[in-house]
Amino acid sequence: MKIFVGIILLLNVWLWADTEIPYSAETISQFKGLRNSLLESLRNKKSDEVVSTIHYIKEMAPDEFAIDNLEMLQIYLLIERYDLAVDLWLGEYEKCGENVQYSFATDSLLKYLDANMNLEDSSVVKEVLEKSALSVVDKEQKSLYEILLKMRNFFEIRNKFNVMHIKAYDRPTGTYVDKLANRYEGVSLSDPVSGKLLLENRVRGWSHYYADETPECVAKLIASLKEFEQWFPHSKYLPWIKNEQKRFEELLEKYWKLRNYYKEKLYTGGIGVEGWYSNGNWEIGIPIQFWRFLIVPTVDLDDGNWIFIFGFDLFEMKHLKIVPFAGLWDPYVAGMQTEFRLWLEKYPDSKFGGAAYLSLKVRYMMKYGELENDGKKGLAHLFYAGIGFHFW
């Protein structure tokens, strides 16, 4: 019977989302009273009363209207019922990126929870997960908390207030203030009943770049997920474990590919600017490379003469590049240059895929042409030191 009632209520939530609340005013008034009782029990540290009140609320409203899963998670963590919190935490991460329901209330209970267990704060998340992993006795749950601890930086839990507000610049004060988002304008936060259901993306997932995790950390997480599967082959959490293992393996593959993006850039080309110095003379070149072939228009800043140098990318690796070249015009040139990459961008541009690097260069060049003031043709051997900034 309870299952049937639950299904009906959930259908009501779906049908009435963003239109009106699927509970009567009398029922909502009961929810308010129960939430107030819950707050008092929390403040008085009466854990058993807290748990029983939550169970009673969920019997009345199996959905997340009266009390949402985030609030329940915060409450169980506050009373240190980590055995009840673990399923809720996994559930939040499992629904990452989905629009889920927040409770109807913006009341003293919500403010108390956000003040005392703000899971939007990464330092709070780290601290409570470490404490949970140390406190639980059950080996399976301990292993789960250790996994959650390792993957915490890939998720961000968003509380109700920040979901409903945006940062807006306030001209009179010259500061950024919290402003109610346009879609919630007209909704009074002083009235706990907004007049419509609040469905938002409660958990965001971060890529490895924003999570600021190394490939080694991701590899350790994958190892922990595999160990869990070996230690608890009949666990009810196994589908979630396998799904996360697959997801993070794909993430790690992309991560390594991104970290080693230069491998796909080798011998491919690009454009840059380089400066050369030799015997008190400066030259500026614009290297343009197509696959292995380079053309470098180069101007001598001393006499303004141009040389068009044509090179071939003979050998290239992450920090080293060797290019033999020859030049046409007057004078004729030929030689070899070696490039040492001192700095490369950590990641390529996410939109265009390009990346920049800075290099130190040395060059041997043989020149033949009118090199002397008397206009006679001659041969000169020159050594250059240079620096270049490139995009590839």
Side-chain angles (χ1 to χ4, degrees):
M1 184 63 181
K2 287 182 180 179
I3 295 174
F4 177 74
V5 171
I7 292 172
I8 295 298
L9 286 171
L10 288 172
L11 284 172
N12 283 337
V13 169
W14 178 74
L15 290 170
W16 291 97
D18 262 355
T19 55
E20 62 181 46
I21 295 171
Y23 293 96
S24 67
E26 182 182 354
T27 304
I28 291 172
S29 180
Q30 286 182 279
F31 292 156
K32 293 179 188 178
L34 288 167
R35 288 177 67 92
N36 289 333
S37 298
L38 197 53
L39 177 58
E40 288 304 310
S41 298
L42 268 174
R43 285 173 171 166
N44 295 322
K45 303 187 185 302
K46 295 181 179 179
S47 300
D48 292 339
E49 286 186 12
V50 168
V51 174
S52 62
T53 303
I54 289 176
H55 287 168
Y56 183 66
I57 293 174
K58 296 307 288 183
E59 285 182 357
M60 291 182 66
D63 59 10
E64 297 186 58
F65 180 82
I67 184 169
D68 60 53
N69 288 351
L70 176 56
E71 292 172 324
M72 289 171 57
L73 174 60
Q74 291 171 294
I75 290 168
Y76 288 145
L77 293 172
L78 280 171
I79 63 174
E80 299 184 357
R81 285 299 305 269
Y82 305 120
D83 56 320
L84 299 177
V86 66
D87 281 5
L88 291 165
W89 208 314
L90 291 181
E92 291 299 289
Y93 282 2
E94 192 172 15
K95 293 178 181 177
C96 175
E98 298 179 14
N99 281 348
V100 297
Q101 185 181 353
Y102 284 86
S103 73
F104 76 98
T106 304
D107 55 7
S108 298
L109 174 61
L110 182 66
K111 292 175 183 176
Y112 179 86
L113 295 176
D114 287 344
N116 293 278
M117 186 57 67
N118 181 15
L119 297 181
E120 196 164 311
D121 186 332
S122 59
S123 62
V124 173
V125 172
K126 181 176 184 291
E127 181 181 349
V128 75
L129 283 174
E130 288 175 341
K131 187 176 181 181
S132 303
L134 290 172
S135 301
V136 292
V137 177
D138 183 84
K139 292 182 179 180
E140 184 180 18
Q141 290 187 350
K142 183 184 289 291
S143 182
L144 285 170
Y145 275 117
E146 289 171 350
I147 287 171
L148 289 172
L149 181 63
K150 290 175 182 175
M151 66 169 57
R152 72 188 185 281
N153 287 338
F154 291 93
F155 299 94
E156 179 193 32
I157 296 175
R158 306 167 70 206
N159 63 38
K160 184 178 181 180
F161 182 87
N162 288 336
V163 161
M164 294 182 70
H165 290 77
I166 59 172
K167 289 291 183 183
Y169 184 74
D170 183 56
R171 289 183 179 275
T173 61
T175 59
Y176 283 91
V177 297
D178 293 308
K179 178 187 175 184
L180 201 63
N182 290 336
R183 61 188 179 280
Y184 294 115
E185 284 190 359
V187 176
S188 173
L189 291 182
S190 60
D191 179 1
V193 180
S194 66
K196 66 177 181 179
L197 296 177
L198 182 60
L199 297 170
E200 289 282 357
N201 182 352
R202 191 156 64 209
V203 179
R204 285 175 174 169
W206 294 125
S207 68
H208 49 80
Y209 181 83
Y210 290 104
D212 197 27
E213 291 283 8
T214 64
E216 291 75 19
C217 290
V218 180
K220 288 179 181 178
L221 171 58
I222 293 170
S224 295
L225 291 166
K226 290 180 178 179
E227 287 175 355
F228 184 94
E229 187 176 353
Q230 294 173 354
W231 294 341
F232 310 102
H234 305 295
S235 171
K236 68 176 183 178
Y237 304 108
L238 215 53
W240 180 81
I241 291 291
K242 288 181 177 180
N243 182 68
E244 291 301 294
Q245 180 183 325
K246 179 182 177 182
R247 189 170 72 86
F248 278 99
E249 283 175 343
E250 291 174 353
L251 180 67
L252 183 60
E253 184 179 349
K254 291 178 181 177
Y255 199 170
W256 279 120
K257 186 176 180 181
L258 196 61
R259 284 287 294 268
N260 297 293
Y261 72 90
Y262 71 89
K263 291 182 178 179
E264 296 182 356
K265 301 286 187 182
L266 301 178
Y267 305 109
T268 60
I271 189 170
V273 59
E274 59 188 19
W276 295 96
Y277 177 80
S278 178
N279 295 331
N281 190 42
W282 283 94
E283 294 180 2
I284 299 295
I286 307 294
I288 304 168
Q289 181 174 343
F290 300 94
W291 296 282
R292 287 194 173 211
F293 302 98
L294 292 89
I295 179 171
V296 190
T298 303
V299 61
D300 189 318
L301 297 184
D302 185 42
D303 56 23
N305 288 336
W306 283 86
I307 303 173
F308 289 87
I309 295 174
F310 298 90
F312 180 75
D313 190 349
L314 179 66
F315 177 78
E316 188 174 6
M317 53 192 300
K318 183 177 182 180
H319 294 290
L320 180 66
K321 183 176 182 178
I322 299 174
V323 178
F325 62 86
L328 302 177
W329 210 252
D330 189 10
Y332 299 104
V333 301
M336 180 84 72
Q337 74 179 44
T338 303
E339 178 178 321
F340 303 94
R341 294 191 180 102
L342 304 176
W343 168 84
L344 297 88
E345 279 194 289
K346 188 174 182 181
Y347 300 108
D349 181 80
S350 58
K351 186 175 182 180
F352 301 104
Y357 67 87
L358 184 69
S359 61
L360 184 67
K361 307 183 179 192
V362 291
R363 170 194 282 177
Y364 162 72
M365 178 184 286
M366 180 183 68
K367 287 185 176 182
Y368 177 78
E370 293 183 4
L371 304 176
E372 305 296 335
N373 293 330
D374 58 8
K376 294 181 179 180
K377 292 186 179 295
L379 186 66
H381 300 276
L382 300 172
F383 292 92
Y384 290 81
I387 191 168
F389 185 77
H390 299 261
F391 293 96
W392 61 352

